[in-house]
Amino acid sequence: MDHRGGCDGRDPRQGGRLSSTVKQVIVVNEALRLPRGKLAAQVAHASIAAFLHAAPESQESWLREGMRKIVLSCESAAQLTALLGRATELGLPSELICDAGRTVVEPGTATCLGLGPAADCDLDKVTGALKLVD
């Protein structure tokens, strides 16, 4: 399944009509092989943290449109950091989640990256090549 929206401002799910859909993307450091519960908690941290960095208009649109989010995977903490750099360059709301180290991983371990809510096309510039978490 393709997680990318139309980058020309047209949403294929709406018959190609112009759209200003927004989404949120969470990228998970799959190298850690986190247990499911821990992974769920880290994704939740990333979602809320990134949301709090978004502009009020983006927050409102995302809430109104059903809070669409996509969870993608990457191979390492270095890749998370590179994605954060690209998102920052583009001015996207983002938050790198580093674990407190109380349970599964060492303190300061980068577990995931929250991006958005922001326009589909803008997020796809950063994460469009990544695969869905399976």
Side-chain angles (χ1 to χ4, degrees), residues 1-6 12-13 23 68 70 72 124 128 130 132:
M1 178 177 172
D2 189 354
H3 60 84
R4 295 171 292 169
R13 293 166 302 196
K23 67 181 174 188
R68 187 166 60 105
I70 311 295
L72 305 173
D124 290 345
L130 299 177
L132 293 167

Side-chain angles (χ1 to χ4, degrees), residues 6 10 15 30-32 39-41 44-45 69 88 97 105-106 111 114-116 127 129-132:
R10 297 184 185 281
E30 286 285 87
L32 299 174
L39 178 63
H45 291 323
K69 65 186 70 60
T88 301
I97 302 302
V105 297
E106 293 297 317
T111 59
L115 301 167
T127 63
L130 299 177
K131 294 182 180 181
L132 293 167

Side-chain angles (χ1 to χ4, degrees), residues 20-97:
S20 60
T21 59
V22 295
K23 67 181 174 188
Q24 188 175 60
V25 176
I26 311 301
V27 184
V28 174
N29 179 355
E30 286 285 87
L32 299 174
R33 304 274 184 237
L34 295 173
R36 289 177 53 184
K38 181 67 171 180
L39 178 63
Q42 296 300 298
V43 167
H45 291 323
S47 177
I48 292 168
F51 175 82
L52 293 173
H53 290 293
E57 314 81 63
S58 294
Q59 291 176 341
E60 291 168 13
S61 292
W62 186 66
L63 292 170
R64 186 176 53 251
E65 293 176 16
M67 299 179 285
R68 187 166 60 105
K69 65 186 70 60
I70 311 295
V71 182
L72 305 173
S73 63
C74 75
E75 299 175 1
S76 67
Q79 189 176 10
L80 283 179
T81 302
L83 293 167
L84 174 62
R86 178 71 175 130
T88 301
E89 288 173 6
L90 295 173
L92 295 172
S94 56
E95 182 75 21
L96 181 64
I97 302 302

